[in-house]
Amino acid sequence: MLNDKSILITGGTGSFGKAFTRYVLENYNPRKIIIYSRDEFKQFIMRNEFQEHDAKLRFFIGDVRDRERLARAFEGVDYCIHAAALKQVPACEYNPAEAVKTNINGAQNVIDAALDAGVKKVVALSTDKAVNPVNLYGGTKLVSDKLFIAANAYAGSKDTCFSIVRYGNVAGSRGSVIPFFHDIIKNGGDELPITDYRMTRFWISLRQGVELVVKALEEAKGGETFISKIPSFKITDLAQAMLPGCRMTEVGIRVGEKLHEIMVPVEDSLNTYEYDNHYVIYPQMVWSESRRAVPTGRQVQEGFSYSSGNNDQWLGVEEIRELLKTVEFE
């Protein structure tokens, strides 16, 4: 599918961009991979990490806020993965206008550039925080998701398809609980703060996130949201896995934080289908027969929801401890 194709990754120097680039280079023979990001130092580091593949990589310094630069970068592109976003909840709360410029206006710029360039498929990365959002970051990503889904209506005769991939914090990603606990332990701490003893989260690896994006590239017809089936864990069990026997002090839930990660809300149950390893939320609208996705999975029951709190797959302390050995900290 990706052999001899040109692929552009916005926010390509992030952990996902590097993992996706590595996966594509190991499994396909792309014509080129364009790394589009605004940080020249991160591009320098990534170029050094992928020296042996230098002939396949192109590094574009640019911001998704810049329509003209995006238009130039999208020339000749077959597939786009939109990973660029302002993601830190506190930063978005304090700088709301900047979050809107990147996460909403930037999303629209990517859509326009992809349509004008005749890109075949665009997959945008979403987040659990876009479901029933309680913070500005989640609100901007909800709007972004809606923009990408609706973009299928504007493709017209062009064969451009837009879809969404949704998952929560990747294990070990910046700002998440695992590196937070890791730093406390590394500095000799014997007590781990727990925001709420009831709190749960999903466990997803970077590899699983990449594979879900590849599935979306292979299967999407337009407007679908792809969600992996992944196990849940209790934050208290994570703490015991990382520092056995530690004291755990409940410090209270933070602003903009939820007790459980939600991937499929009840409101989307009528359009959600279950497959062996994932769920798909299909769009309510059908823009054309060529874009009509025909579900082959099992429709979930009305009122179904999928969250880290009601999951049927759970990790215990020992299982978490084994998985922690595979975590690469950013």
Side-chain angles (χ1 to χ4, degrees):
M1 175 188 64
L2 299 178
N3 290 331
D4 198 35
K5 295 296 189 294
S6 176
I7 305 154
L8 183 144
I9 311 169
T10 69
T13 55
S15 55
F16 172 85
K18 289 193 285 189
F20 184 82
T21 298
R22 187 170 291 109
Y23 181 93
V24 171
L25 291 170
E26 289 174 354
N27 294 278
Y28 299 93
N29 183 28
R31 184 165 68 253
K32 63 180 175 180
I33 300 175
I34 301 167
I35 307 301
Y36 186 93
S37 73
R38 60 185 182 178
D39 191 322
E40 61 177 334
F41 182 61
K42 287 183 180 178
Q43 289 196 4
F44 169 77
I45 293 173
M46 185 171 176
R47 184 188 291 273
N48 286 338
E49 289 180 10
F50 288 85
Q51 281 185 8
E52 71 274 24
H53 301 289
D54 193 58
K56 295 282 187 182
L57 300 184
R58 305 289 186 273
F59 289 89
F60 267 61
I61 293 176
D63 197 312
V64 292
R65 301 180 183 190
D66 188 338
R67 293 170 62 98
E68 292 183 359
R69 183 60 171 165
L70 272 173
R72 180 68 67 193
F74 267 79
E75 289 183 10
V77 168
D78 298 294
Y79 297 101
C80 169
I81 313 301
H82 177 53
L86 292 182
K87 301 181 178 73
Q88 295 295 319
V89 171
C92 289
E93 293 295 319
Y94 192 71
N95 304 278
E98 299 306 305
V100 169
K101 289 175 186 175
T102 295
N103 296 354
I104 297 178
N105 298 344
Q108 187 62 54
N109 289 341
V110 169
I111 289 166
D112 291 338
L115 288 171
D116 292 343
V119 173
K120 292 181 176 64
K121 285 191 176 183
V122 179
V123 175
L125 301 191
S126 183
T127 168
D128 62 284
K129 296 173 182 65
V131 180
N132 302 331
V134 296
N135 54 56
L136 186 81
Y137 168 55
T140 59
K141 291 301 288 184
L142 170 62
V143 175
S144 173
D145 289 358
K146 296 292 187 182
L147 288 172
F148 277 100
I149 291 171
N152 290 282
Y154 300 99
S157 60
K158 295 182 178 179
D159 191 27
T160 304
C161 161
F162 299 87
S163 62
I164 307 290
V165 161
R166 177 182 295 157
Y167 52 81
N169 288 332
V170 171
S173 60
R174 284 193 305 268
S176 62
V177 66
I178 294 176
F180 176 62
F181 284 174
H182 176 75
D183 288 343
I184 293 174
I185 296 166
K186 186 172 63 174
N187 292 322
D190 60 359
E191 179 179 350
L192 296 179
I194 307 295
T195 52
D196 192 296
Y197 292 143
R198 300 166 294 171
M199 185 170 287
T200 65
R201 288 294 181 263
F202 283 110
W203 185 289
I204 187 169
S205 68
L206 205 48
R207 175 81 176 198
Q208 288 172 305
V210 168
E211 289 174 347
L212 188 62
V213 168
V214 173
K215 177 172 284 293
L217 286 172
E218 291 173 342
E219 298 181 4
K221 294 291 186 182
E224 302 97 326
T225 301
F226 292 79
I227 299 146
S228 282
K229 285 184 179 180
I230 46 181
S232 296
F233 63 92
K234 298 176 181 178
I235 295 298
T236 51
D237 285 346
L238 173 68
Q240 292 301 318
M242 296 186 71
L243 188 59
C246 70
R247 290 181 294 134
M248 299 181 293
T249 304
E250 193 172 42
V251 296
I253 198 164
R254 296 179 298 178
V255 174
E257 193 172 38
K258 295 179 182 179
L259 280 178
H260 311 292
E261 291 181 330
I262 304 172
M263 297 293 182
V264 180
V266 171
E267 294 78 10
D268 283 331
S269 61
L270 293 176
N271 302 300
T272 301
Y273 285 74
E274 181 179 4
Y275 295 84
D276 288 343
N277 299 309
H278 66 286
Y279 295 99
V280 177
I281 303 173
Y282 290 92
Q284 297 180 13
M285 296 172 287
V286 176
W287 299 281
S288 67
E289 286 304 312
S290 63
R291 294 175 182 275
R292 182 188 293 274
V294 180
T296 57
R298 179 183 66 83
Q299 186 173 13
V300 302
Q301 292 184 343
E302 183 177 353
F304 168 86
S305 68
Y306 181 49
S307 83
S308 59
N310 68 6
N311 201 354
D312 58 7
Q313 300 180 58
W314 287 88
L315 298 172
V317 172
E318 291 302 322
E319 293 169 301
I320 296 171
R321 190 170 292 137
E322 285 301 309
L323 285 171
L324 284 168
K325 297 175 182 178
T326 68
V327 171
E328 295 182 11
F329 296 99
E330 296 182 12

Coordinates of all heavy atoms in Angstrom, one line a residue, residues 194-201 233-236 250 253 259-260 309 314:
I194 N -1.4 9.9 44.3 CA -2.5 9.4 43.5 C -3.6 10.5 43.5 O -4.1 10.9 44.5 CB -3.0 8.1 44.1 CG1 -1.9 7.1 44.3 CG2 -4.1 7.5 43.2 CD1 -1.2 6.6 43.0
T195 N -4.0 10.9 42.3 CA -5.0 11.9 42.3 C -6.3 11.4 42.8 O -7.0 12.2 43.5 CB -5.2 12.4 40.8 OG1 -5.4 11.3 40.0 CG2 -4.0 13.2 40.4
D196 N -6.7 10.2 42.5 CA -7.9 9.6 43.0 C -7.7 8.1 43.0 O -7.3 7.5 42.0 CB -9.1 10.0 42.1 CG -10.4 9.7 42.8 OD1 -10.7 8.5 43.0 OD2 -11.2 10.6 43.1
Y197 N -8.0 7.4 44.1 CA -7.8 6.0 44.2 C -8.6 5.2 43.2 O -8.3 4.0 42.9 CB -8.1 5.5 45.6 CG -7.2 6.0 46.7 CD1 -7.6 6.3 47.9 CD2 -5.8 6.1 46.4 CE1 -6.7 6.7 48.9 CE2 -4.9 6.5 47.4 CZ -5.4 6.8 48.6 OH -4.5 7.3 49.6
R198 N -9.7 5.8 42.7 CA -10.6 5.1 41.7 C -10.1 5.2 40.3 O -10.7 4.6 39.4 CB -12.0 5.7 41.8 CG -12.7 5.5 43.2 CD -13.9 6.4 43.3 NE -13.6 7.8 43.2 CZ -14.4 8.8 43.1 NH1 -15.7 8.5 43.0 NH2 -14.0 10.1 43.1
M199 N -9.1 6.0 40.0 CA -8.7 6.4 38.7 C -8.2 5.2 37.9 O -7.5 4.4 38.4 CB -7.7 7.5 38.7 CG -7.3 8.0 37.3 SD -6.3 9.5 37.4 CE -7.5 10.7 37.9
T200 N -8.6 5.1 36.6 CA -8.2 4.1 35.7 C -7.7 4.7 34.4 O -8.0 5.8 34.0 CB -9.3 3.1 35.3 OG1 -10.3 3.7 34.6 CG2 -9.9 2.4 36.6
R201 N -6.8 4.0 33.7 CA -6.4 4.4 32.4 C -6.2 3.2 31.4 O -6.1 2.1 31.9 CB -5.0 5.1 32.5 CG -5.1 6.5 33.1 CD -5.8 7.5 32.3 NE -5.9 8.8 32.8 CZ -7.0 9.3 33.5 NH1 -8.0 8.5 33.7 NH2 -7.0 10.5 33.9
F233 N -5.9 -0.4 33.4 CA -5.2 -0.6 34.6 C -5.7 0.4 35.7 O -6.1 1.5 35.3 CB -3.7 -0.6 34.5 CG -3.1 0.7 34.0 CD1 -2.7 1.6 34.9 CD2 -3.0 1.0 32.7 CE1 -2.2 2.8 34.5 CE2 -2.5 2.2 32.2 CZ -2.1 3.1 33.2
K234 N -5.5 0.1 36.9 CA -5.8 1.0 38.0 C -4.5 1.8 38.3 O -3.4 1.2 38.3 CB -6.3 0.3 39.2 CG -7.6 -0.5 39.1 CD -7.9 -1.2 40.3 CE -9.2 -2.0 40.2 NZ -9.6 -2.8 41.4
I235 N -4.6 3.1 38.6 CA -3.5 3.9 38.9 C -2.8 3.4 40.1 O -1.5 3.4 40.2 CB -3.9 5.4 39.0 CG1 -4.4 5.9 37.7 CG2 -2.7 6.2 39.5 CD1 -3.4 5.9 36.6
T236 N -3.6 2.9 41.1 CA -3.0 2.3 42.3 C -2.1 1.1 42.0 O -1.1 0.9 42.6 CB -4.0 2.0 43.3 OG1 -5.1 1.2 42.7 CG2 -4.7 3.3 43.9
E250 N -3.5 10.2 48.4 CA -4.5 10.7 47.5 C -4.5 12.3 47.6 O -4.6 12.9 48.6 CB -5.9 10.3 47.8 CG -7.0 10.5 46.8 CD -8.3 9.9 47.1 OE1 -8.7 9.9 48.3 OE2 -8.9 9.3 46.2
I253 N -8.1 15.1 42.3 CA -8.1 15.1 40.8 C -7.7 16.5 40.3 O -8.1 17.6 40.9 CB -9.4 14.7 40.3 CG1 -9.3 14.3 38.8 CG2 -10.5 15.8 40.5 CD1 -10.5 13.5 38.3
L259 N -11.8 10.7 35.8 CA -11.5 9.5 36.5 C -11.1 8.4 35.5 O -10.3 7.5 35.8 CB -12.7 9.1 37.3 CG -12.9 9.8 38.7 CD1 -14.2 9.2 39.3 CD2 -11.7 9.5 39.6
H260 N -11.8 8.3 34.4 CA -11.6 7.2 33.4 C -11.5 7.8 32.0 O -12.1 8.9 31.7 CB -12.8 6.3 33.4 CG -13.2 5.8 34.8 ND1 -12.4 5.0 35.5 CD2 -14.3 6.1 35.5 CE1 -13.0 4.8 36.7 NE2 -14.2 5.4 36.7
G309 N -12.8 2.5 32.6 CA -13.5 2.0 33.8 C -14.4 0.9 33.6 O -14.7 0.1 34.6
W314 N -8.2 -6.3 31.9 CA -7.5 -5.6 32.9 C -6.1 -6.1 33.1 O -5.9 -7.3 33.0 CB -8.3 -5.7 34.2 CG -9.6 -4.8 34.2 CD1 -10.8 -5.2 33.8 CD2 -9.7 -3.5 34.6 NE1 -11.7 -4.1 33.9 CE2 -11.0 -3.1 34.4 CE3 -8.8 -2.5 35.2 CZ2 -11.5 -1.8 34.7 CZ3 -9.2 -1.3 35.5 CH2 -10.5 -0.9 35.2

